[in-house]
Amino acid sequence: MLHDPAVPPSRRRLLALLVGLLGTRSARATGALRLRMVQAHWPPYVHMVNGRPAGLDVELIEAVLHRIGYRLELVAETPRRRRPQLLAAGELDMLLAATVTEDRTSEFRFSSTYRQEWIGLLCLESRLGEFAALHSYARLVERRIKLLAPKHRLGGELDLLIDQLRPAGLLEPYDSAQRGLGMLQRSRASLIVGDIPALLHLGRSEGTPLARLTLPEQRAPVSLMLSRKTVSAALLAQINGALAALEADGTLPAIRRRYGF
């Protein structure tokens, strides 16, 4: 009927609109509207509990997607380096905790900020007393204290600190929180720098509690990085609108507070 020339154009437009609306409602009812994300093990942000996704970022994103009629779909975990390629190809819809950079914006879309990243220095809780007087990065360099640091750049003063420690032989790189904690347990270094909530959670779960030092910590805004192939500008506007509304009504702050943010 939509293409029947006997049907007046105005009626065909009305029928097309009704079909579109019914299709959207049907898709929402069956859960067809979804955004795909990698099933990563990154507590307290993303992990599985009794076969279901859980964590701070999962709860934040599910709240946003629920508001716009979408659901979160987790797909098989893939190596971190491959994820941007899958996102660019449209095989993933979004990646978490992304930093907005100028060179990425031509290839991907970015949401508004949905939380802050906390980066700082920690030590084994049992050794906290040794570093009680450590109140500046300069003092750390003067005392020639060895530091474990992730292989990626952290930004700000922490990158300056790392650049000072590396040529002095006071830096040990790590490529995952688990490996970094293992190196700290084996005394490969005295301190570790990285994502504070993730390292604290990992230390508790492995029976090796960590403690934060009284040194400056960095806060950095993070966003959702979205595929241009599967996420339209209109959908991005919906996501940002939901973020703003849920921030204003206290939903997102309440979720973050439950996780200690």
Side-chain angles (χ1 to χ4, degrees):
M1 184 179 289
L2 289 176
H3 304 288
D4 188 342
V7 177
S10 59
R11 189 176 178 192
R12 286 204 300 270
R13 286 195 295 271
L14 179 60
L15 287 170
L17 178 60
L18 289 173
V19 168
L21 289 173
L22 288 172
T24 299
R25 288 177 182 173
S26 174
R28 291 188 180 188
T30 59
L33 291 175
R34 81 279 190 272
L35 290 181
R36 297 161 298 169
M37 183 180 82
V38 169
Q39 179 180 308
H41 183 70
W42 186 31
Y45 304 108
V46 185
H47 57 116
M48 302 298 288
V49 175
N50 298 323
R52 289 182 52 79
L56 171 61
D57 281 15
V58 168
E59 290 195 35
L60 292 172
I61 292 164
E62 286 186 332
V64 170
L65 296 187
H66 178 74
R67 188 175 182 91
I68 63 173
Y70 277 69
R71 67 180 178 86
L72 178 65
E73 179 181 316
L74 295 185
V75 301
E77 187 165 3
T78 56
R80 186 178 296 274
R81 290 182 181 179
R82 283 206 62 218
R83 294 173 194 173
Q85 299 170 15
L86 295 174
L87 193 70
E91 295 178 44
L92 287 175
D93 301 312
M94 65 180 172
L95 296 178
L96 297 172
T99 301
V100 181
T101 59
E102 190 173 344
D103 60 317
R104 286 173 161 182
T105 52
S106 61
E107 190 172 8
F108 305 106
R109 301 188 195 279
F110 289 88
S111 74
S112 305
T113 298
Y114 72 92
R115 69 169 170 84
Q116 296 286 321
E117 190 173 56
W118 291 7
I119 304 293
L121 278 75
L122 304 96
C123 67
L124 296 175
E125 193 176 76
S126 58
R127 297 187 60 186
L128 183 59
E130 298 176 40
F131 309 108
L134 200 63
H135 299 301
S136 71
Y137 294 150
R139 185 65 178 144
L140 188 151
V141 177
E142 290 169 9
R143 289 180 53 181
R144 296 187 60 80
I145 296 173
K146 202 167 187 178
L147 179 68
L148 294 163
K151 292 181 177 178
H152 59 269
R153 302 289 283 179
L154 299 172
E157 290 186 45
L158 287 173
D159 278 348
L160 298 176
L161 171 65
I162 287 168
D163 290 342
Q164 286 182 286
L165 295 175
R166 185 179 286 110
L170 298 174
L171 189 74
E172 284 277 353
Y174 67 87
D175 57 11
S176 71
Q178 288 81 2
R179 290 185 182 179
L181 180 60
M183 294 166 75
L184 192 68
Q185 291 167 333
R186 296 192 301 273
S187 300
R188 291 281 296 275
S190 300
L191 305 177
I192 186 168
V193 61
D195 185 290
I196 292 171
L199 287 169
L200 288 173
H201 186 280
L202 181 63
R204 287 193 299 269
S205 66
E206 296 202 1
T208 309
L210 302 179
R212 294 157 75 171
L213 301 184
T214 54
L215 286 169
E217 296 175 352
Q218 290 185 181
R219 300 286 188 272
V222 295
S223 303
L224 300 176
M225 189 161 76
L226 304 153
S227 173
R228 283 188 175 271
K229 286 200 170 182
T230 61
V231 178
S232 66
L235 179 52
L236 174 61
Q238 285 185 280
I239 291 170
N240 286 338
L243 280 167
L246 294 172
E247 198 71 50
D249 71 13
T251 300
L252 300 186
I255 294 171
R256 290 194 290 264
R257 280 195 300 272
R258 284 196 287 102
Y259 285 84
F261 278 74

